[in-house]
Amino acid sequence: MLSIHEHATLEDASTELLDFALAPSNWTAALPADQAPASVQGDVQYQRRVGSLRIYTVVEVASSLDVFLRVAFRAPGLTPVKAADLLETFLKQRLPLTPNSEWQVEVDERRWIHFVRRYSAPRLQA
């Protein structure tokens, strides 16, 4: 069984995981929109651990060819507000949050807190 890479700090985990997840060769197909919020599927390549905190990051391509960035966190006692602070720290080096950036927030059945936003501009329509 594969194990999840462990890091000493959130910044270290961010550097390695974002480099991996943002590479177009590692993008994945998104689940259909009519399914419940996606839980972390178990692919450890897209996960990292910092102490008891688990992090999942993936770029998903929908059937409409829209591209979304998903960052999820899970830890004992983690709330969406605390997870939002973790998101800011996690993205600071590579994709700093900007005012008025919109993120969807979902909590799945396994208590993962997902943050999802469009990663690329909408595709052009002719």
Side-chain angles (χ1 to χ4, degrees):
M1 185 166 115
L2 297 172
S3 63
I4 298 171
H5 291 238
E6 189 155 350
H7 295 275
T9 67
L10 187 58
E11 291 82 3
D12 291 342
S14 169
T15 299
E16 184 182 326
L17 187 53
L18 282 173
D19 284 347
F20 175 80
L22 296 178
S25 61
N26 297 320
W27 294 8
T28 65
L31 293 175
D34 60 343
Q35 290 187 6
S39 182
V40 175
Q41 300 298 321
D43 190 344
V44 296
Q45 293 180 353
Y46 297 92
Q47 296 183 47
R48 297 297 181 270
R49 181 185 296 271
V50 178
S52 64
L53 174 68
R54 288 180 56 190
I55 308 154
Y56 174 77
T57 303
V58 67
V59 176
E60 300 171 326
V61 181
S63 60
S64 63
L65 299 182
D66 291 321
V67 181
F68 298 92
L69 173 63
R70 177 180 300 272
V71 179
F73 300 98
R74 180 178 173 190
L78 186 63
T79 65
V81 173
K82 290 178 185 175
D85 291 338
L86 292 172
L87 177 69
E88 182 177 16
T89 302
F90 183 76
L91 296 175
K92 187 187 321 187
Q93 295 176 21
R94 182 88 182 244
L95 302 165
L97 295 181
T98 57
N100 299 321
S101 62
E102 294 183 20
W103 290 80
Q104 269 189 300
V105 182
E106 306 167 334
V107 180
D108 70 20
E109 67 278 355
R110 293 180 43 201
R111 306 290 300 160
W112 281 90
I113 301 170
H114 298 259
F115 294 91
V116 181
R117 73 166 297 195
R118 185 178 298 280
Y119 181 65
S120 65
R123 62 187 177 99
L124 296 175
Q125 298 290 331

